[in-house]
Amino acid sequence: MKTTYAAEEIHALLPHRYPFALVDRIIDYVPGKQATGIKNVTFNEPHFQGHFPGHPLMPGVLIVEAMAQVGGVVLSQIEGVEGLCVFAGIDKVRFRRPVVPGDQLIMTVELLAIKRMRFGKMRGRAEVDGQLACEGELMFSVVDR
């Protein structure tokens, strides 16, 4: 059973491409349950030009999107889930520390529920150096491509 994925393998599972491919590696994968992924945050990313000049911070929406992409690795491999997985909502999201260039964001996303292979909920947690950066619940819907 495969438990890790390199960038090329993630690209085979998810439709996201630069500049919106936000997962560099999956370091732990439990089929149908959860995955842990890494995002290496670099100063060269386009959003840092304007967020914020002289004080670059990774936008919270991109941290949440990165967690969702880790969840997408789990969803894309569940038998019966066919189509494009998109956000249906987010709940209880909190940002606990800034994420800056040079950080390595480690995100663990757990599948909580899936209904009729079309809707569901996941819990995500993102950390930097063992410190909680973001956490929350992510709802998804599977739509036809």
Side-chain angles (χ1 to χ4, degrees):
M1 174 176 51
K2 188 156 186 60
T3 61
T4 62
Y5 293 85
E8 302 82 26
E9 295 168 308
I10 295 167
H11 285 181
L13 297 172
L14 301 179
H16 306 85
R17 296 298 179 264
Y18 178 84
F20 233 67
L22 299 174
V23 182
D24 296 321
R25 180 173 296 278
I26 297 295
I27 58 172
D28 187 39
Y29 167 68
V30 180
K33 296 189 187 302
Q34 75 176 36
T36 300
I38 292 174
K39 162 72 176 136
N40 293 306
V41 181
T42 69
F43 188 74
N44 296 327
E45 295 174 53
H47 49 269
F48 288 128
Q49 283 185 347
H51 200 266
F52 296 97
H55 191 70
L57 298 175
M58 185 173 181
V61 295
L62 293 182
I63 297 169
V64 173
E65 174 64 28
M67 290 192 303
Q69 289 180 24
V70 172
V73 170
V74 176
L75 293 174
S76 69
Q77 298 181 83
I78 294 176
E79 189 173 333
V81 173
E82 295 184 19
L84 184 64
C85 299
V86 297
F87 269 128
I90 57 175
D91 280 337
K92 303 175 186 167
V93 173
R94 297 290 180 263
F95 301 99
R96 306 293 184 186
R97 77 176 294 279
V99 176
V100 300
D103 284 347
Q104 185 175 67
L105 195 60
I106 302 189
M107 302 158 288
T108 300
V109 180
E110 172 190 9
L111 180 64
L112 299 176
I114 188 167
K115 297 179 182 175
R116 298 187 311 273
M117 298 300 164
R118 301 295 287 180
F119 306 96
K121 183 186 279 192
M122 304 186 119
R123 177 180 302 121
R125 181 179 174 89
E127 297 179 348
V128 174
D129 294 329
Q131 296 178 335
L132 183 61
C134 180
E135 63 184 336
E137 294 177 356
L138 316 171
M139 280 67 69
F140 64 88
S141 176
V142 181
V143 298
D144 295 331
R145 288 184 185 240

